[in-house]
Amino acid sequence: MYGEPTIRPTGQPTQPLSPMIKLRFETFLAPNMWPVYQFIVEAVGARLGIETELTVGRSFETFVRGEAEAGFLCGLPYVQLLRRTPGLLEPLTAPVLYGSRFAGYDRPVYFSDVIVHRAAPFTRFAELRGRTWAYNDPGSHSGYNLTRAAMVRRGLTGGFFGRVVQAGFHQLCLEQVADGAVDGAAIDCQVLMIELRERPELAERVKVIDSFGPSTIPPVVAAGRLPATLKAELRAALLDLGADPRARAVLAFGFIERFAPVTDRDYDDIRQMLADCERAGFMTLR
């Protein structure tokens, strides 16, 4: 369905930093970024001289049980996992996206774009009162937490939507809006850019009427239990991708310009949004 990059890392590996046999990465993010994440994992392995693998994350408990060493993780479950188990994960880097929309911030950011059918009369989010809303997953910041936080700030809580449905993925939310099955949804802007490029027919069927954010973009994380030296080498390998012409060709598939270092404090904005929803007693979209 998606055009996949074919470039593979060819650099000489460094000496192994750890006796571990394999470094397991898990991705909990949108599937249309799989080819980019696969390349990144292979490139990091080549750089460090460590065997790596990428799998689709099914449960965050793999980090708790020590079954995964690194991963691509949404900001909301990241802060929730750290609230539950401090030190469980360490954010290494986060992608900086192409375009003036993402420039001028002190951290790598993204937005959640509110979409409706192109033929619909809606011009702003408030006009969706009483309408049908789709979201990807309640564990998603861009698809769920950011929406409810924006509703709290705008005073739109308390039975705003007529019906709310869980689609499972951002791409499915997009398809439901394009098909007219629901009236609106909030889509991770990176996911939306990729989908509209790979499936240009969708651009004729949906339009953006509002945006939530900015928020700190999902990080690449490492298990806190990993040796500090290994985490430093992982971070360095990710940061160096932006200077490698071969890697930049693949990163561009996901509209990624480069990676930037991040720390736990960069995700305080997401913590604050979660806290705002908790104080307002608005934890379920409705």
Side-chain angles (χ1 to χ4, degrees), residues 54-149:
L54 176 65
T55 62
V56 174
R58 303 297 182 187
S59 169
F60 301 125
E61 292 301 308
T62 55
F63 289 113
V64 178
R65 295 192 298 264
E67 297 171 358
E69 286 74 45
F72 304 90
L73 186 63
C74 177
L76 178 61
Y78 166 76
V79 301
Q80 291 174 319
L81 284 167
L82 268 290
R83 173 192 279 184
R84 170 183 163 188
T85 310
L88 178 68
L89 299 171
E90 180 178 331
L92 301 176
T93 66
V96 176
L97 303 183
Y98 282 109
S100 58
R101 183 183 193 187
F102 310 103
Y105 295 97
D106 60 356
R107 65 197 191 283
V109 300
Y110 73 135
F111 297 82
S112 192
D113 290 332
V114 177
I115 61 167
V116 298
H117 195 280
R118 182 163 290 277
F122 314 116
T123 60
R124 57 194 180 97
F125 178 75
E127 295 173 358
L128 290 170
R129 181 181 295 277
R131 299 292 182 163
T132 302
W133 182 261
Y135 67 91
N136 57 336
D137 186 274
S140 167
H141 175 66
S142 59
Y144 201 87
N145 185 55
L146 184 52
T147 299
R148 66 187 177 192

Side-chain angles (χ1 to χ4, degrees), residues 28 35 104 110 168 198 212 242 262 283:
F28 293 88
Y110 73 135
E198 298 299 303
F212 302 143
V262 288
M283 297 302 294

Side-chain angles (χ1 to χ4, degrees), residues 11-24:
Q12 292 298 315
T14 62
Q15 292 298 312
L17 297 173
S18 167
M20 70 174 57
I21 297 175
K22 183 177 292 186
L23 197 67
R24 178 176 174 180

Side-chain angles (χ1 to χ4, degrees), residues 156-179:
L156 299 176
T157 61
F160 177 78
F161 296 117
R163 184 167 65 96
V164 177
V165 298
Q166 180 175 347
F169 294 101
H170 277 302
Q171 292 97 318
L172 296 179
C173 292
L174 176 57
E175 290 175 3
Q176 289 188 14
V177 173
D179 291 341

